[in-house]
Amino acid sequence: MTASLAAVVLCAGKGTRMKSEKAKVLHPILGKPLCAYPLMRALELGASPVVSVVGHQAEEVERSIRAHFPTAPLRFALQKEQRGTADAVRSAESALKDFNGRVLILYGDVPLVRSETLAALAAAHEKGGGVLSLVSTVPADPTGYGRVIREMGKVVRIVEHKDATPEQRQVRECNAGIYLVESSFLWKALANIRSSNAQGEFYLTDLVEMAAAQGPVASIEAEFGETAGVNDRVELAARAKELQSRINTWHMRNGVTLADPATTYIEEGVAIGSDTELGPMVTLSGATVVGRNVSIGQGCVVHASSVADGTTVKPYTVLEEARVGERCILGPFSRLRPGTDLAEEVHLGNFVETKKARLGRGSKANHLAYLGDAKIGSKVNVGAGTITCNYDGVSKHVTELGDGVFIGSDTQLVAPVKVGDGAYVGAGTTVTKDVPSGSLAVSRTPQVNLEGWVERKKARMAKSSETGSSKSDKASAG
């Protein structure tokens, strides 16, 4: 767009039908609050600033929005009383007092509007030359929606359902609630809106008739599903399902295989390379990046992590803020906690947990291990049952394993401790001191074989049993 563009997103409503203590726009949909989606679309269109009009739970809503858009050109305005949509937009006037240009108006509970639709609205507004343009839609059942009234094919007004005549209610074209308005017209017109309607509220839709009196009102039509809002949890689930399908379809058309799209959850913003395969019930969330030719098995959860090309993630493995190199093999049932950093060709097997652990190329921990606060070199073998004892009750300490180290099963590495390159640690060892390179560390008690012990034990048990039976017989005779 060549003209300056700002946006106003209405996020003030309580959402009574949600039956919740949480503000409606904060209810999550695929990992983000409901209001995040129209805010993202406005920012993608180049709007600056973007004003969120808050009301119910204003502080919580503002805090959530700032957390999701920490660097965005955000401003906030407070609607103190819920007196209608026109009053809500008018609340943003002071936040835009230094702005002159076009104002995009969106609702915070409409998550499915597309960037392409808003771009088309901007193009129609530019071409039409009027002071206001709008998006309309044709729902299957228009009951409850404001009707777009035309004369000679031109938009002249919008009439809310409760104020519409029986003839007007026959109109199928409805208002989607999305507008692009010249600021020079907007604030003056809002000041003249009155609440003389069935609801006793200040209708934003009254702007349309005022704009039509000054010139043409351009319009574009969008699918109803794209403009549908959320009023209760049933509609929230329906919008989420539609968004899930939209995101999954995009990835499949771009070379990703989804074994069961209906159970695959991919948040907006996740990046996936081509020829990657996702099993059923996989969840990819946050700032996750998955490379090419990756296989992610059933039930895996990957959050804010990167998985490089050629890696296999077996079923029910969980990654959180982890980095995984190329051609690794993870799982099944592995857990990679924040700070895990794996080089190429690392193997982590079933019931292995890592946290703030760096593993070098080709290292393996294939069974039942905990590796926390660890620096592990390349070609290291970590046996089953190994744990790094990293916490002393006050502080966390680091375990360091050099290249080519072999750790036997059931080893405890009591940090801070270092095991040098090529060293071996025998099974069952508790390592409390540094192990020099090329050394063998063993701390278990020497094995003792007592020959004939089993037969002697059996004989004692048999004698004890006979003695007990004799005492029982005497007691019976007495």
Side-chain angles (χ1 to χ4, degrees), residues 213-232:
Q214 297 191 20
V217 172
S219 67
I220 64 165
E221 185 176 316
E223 294 182 1
F224 175 71
E226 183 180 346
T227 63
V230 172
N231 292 300
D232 57 31

Side-chain angles (χ1 to χ4, degrees), residues 108-122:
D109 65 348
V110 178
L112 300 182
V113 64
R114 299 175 186 269
S115 297
E116 295 85 351
T117 298
L118 299 181
L121 175 64

